[in-house]
Amino acid sequence: EDPADVINVGIEELLRLRFELPGFTTMLRTAMYARTHVNRHIHSQIVNELGKKGQALIDRLLKVAPEKLKSDWEMIKRDPGKPTVNNLRQLLTQMEWLKSWYLDLKALRDLPDAKLRNFAAEAKSLDAARMQEMEPNKRYALAATLIKIQVSRRFDDLGDILVKRVQGTHNKGRQALQEYRVKQQSEVDYLIGKFHDVLLALRDTEQPERLNAVEKAAGSDKENSIVRCEEYAAYAGDNYSPFLWRFHKGHRTLLFRILANIDLASTSTDKGTEALIQFIIEHRASRADRISVAGLDLSW
């Protein structure tokens, strides 16, 4: 796409064929002509595949509706902000709207990445009025490439935000566990003290008085002590899972909307995670206490 690259390739080919090199101006003019010729051919391919229906869609995109101040073209060019919950809602709304304009063209899929990005960058730099002044084939081709690039970027943005939000939830869960442990230090001291008394009774008391000594050391609130032990055991090790819900519930609906808008695919032959995600989506509205996971691989 860069004339300098075209010139360099041209020089290499001329040297290979043992031609005398022309002047730089001639090389530059020839490179610019070659690039224009190739780009026009690409524009024609895209427009032919767009057809009348696709062209009408782009024409509608570039027009300002009477009830609006700006054309939808400006909406397509808009980039997302930081991954806050508010911006995430707006991004999801934009993504769902963008998909209604998306045209899956073979001519765009076959287009080299450098060309695709350059066409899209040129389109993004122009407002609707400048686009309408452009030669029709070029206008339709540039608009189609920008739509494709923006949809791809929104997919990437949603994937990044999904990862960041889930990571943030887990980080907050770990922090909440540490705070819980600090607050529960007196509980730990109590339970360790109780256990210490039982061990002393076992060590220092002979049979047959040992059982009585252990019962005395355990105290009359044995059931309460068991409950307290079980409560503490629920957070033993690094098990911060019980804390996650309060950080997750605020954007649970948004996360499900993300999953509805992106197709997650395994990069290997192991499709277990895909099946798990589909299972979660299918049971998102379930209020049952227990759900059968028969047939799912939970080895992880």
Side-chain angles (χ1 to χ4, degrees), residues 264-275 297:
L264 296 174
S266 173
T267 55
S268 70
T269 55
D270 181 7
K271 305 296 182 184
T273 305
E274 285 185 40
D297 178 13

Side-chain angles (χ1 to χ4, degrees), residues 20 24 29 33 57 83 85 106 124 151 156 161 179 187 202 208 212 217 220 223 243 260 263 266 283 297 300:
E20 182 181 348
F24 176 75
R29 188 170 61 248
Y33 172 81
L57 192 74
V85 173
K106 183 179 183 299
K124 195 173 182 181
V151 170
D156 290 342
I161 289 174
E179 292 171 356
E187 188 74 1
L202 285 169
N212 290 333
S220 59
E223 287 301 321
F243 295 99
D263 296 320
S266 173
H283 292 86
D297 178 13
W300 57 277

